[in-house]
Amino acid sequence: MSVLSKKEIEKIKKEVPVQVGLRVAHFRKEKGITQQQLGDLIGSDRQYVSRIERADVSVSIQKLAIIAKALDVDLTQICNINY
């Protein structure tokens, strides 16, 4: 186990939402569904899905699990992030 520097922590905080957003958008498009349709599937609206995909919001692990289920992918596929 190692101690993370403030710089490393900030890098992770910045990059993880971007990577998650890219993965959500990728799987959504791969399934051929719109942001509105995904929003309906997860009990949210199109704007929320858009904010996730643009990395404007951090998404809870519970919401990511719901998104993964709606997209019929493993949660690990959305969260498989290299930083």
Side-chain angles (χ1 to χ4, degrees), residues 40-62:
D40 292 344
L41 289 170
I42 66 170
S44 296
D45 58 21
R46 183 200 61 77
Q47 291 86 0
Y48 181 67
V49 174
S50 177
R51 291 193 322 262
I52 293 170
E53 291 182 2
R54 290 191 325 263
D56 289 343
V57 294
S58 292
V59 186
S60 71
I61 194 69
Q62 292 89 350

Side-chain angles (χ1 to χ4, degrees), residues 18-28 77-81:
V18 171
Q19 293 298 316
V20 166
L22 289 171
R23 291 194 186 295
V24 169
H26 167 78
F27 290 118
R28 176 182 61 76
Q77 290 177 275
I78 292 176
C79 297
N80 187 15
I81 298 166

Side-chain angles (χ1 to χ4, degrees), residues 10-23:
E10 289 306 312
K11 181 180 177 187
I12 291 169
K13 285 182 179 181
K14 182 178 178 182
E15 290 181 4
V16 167
V18 171
Q19 293 298 316
V20 166
L22 289 171
R23 291 194 186 295

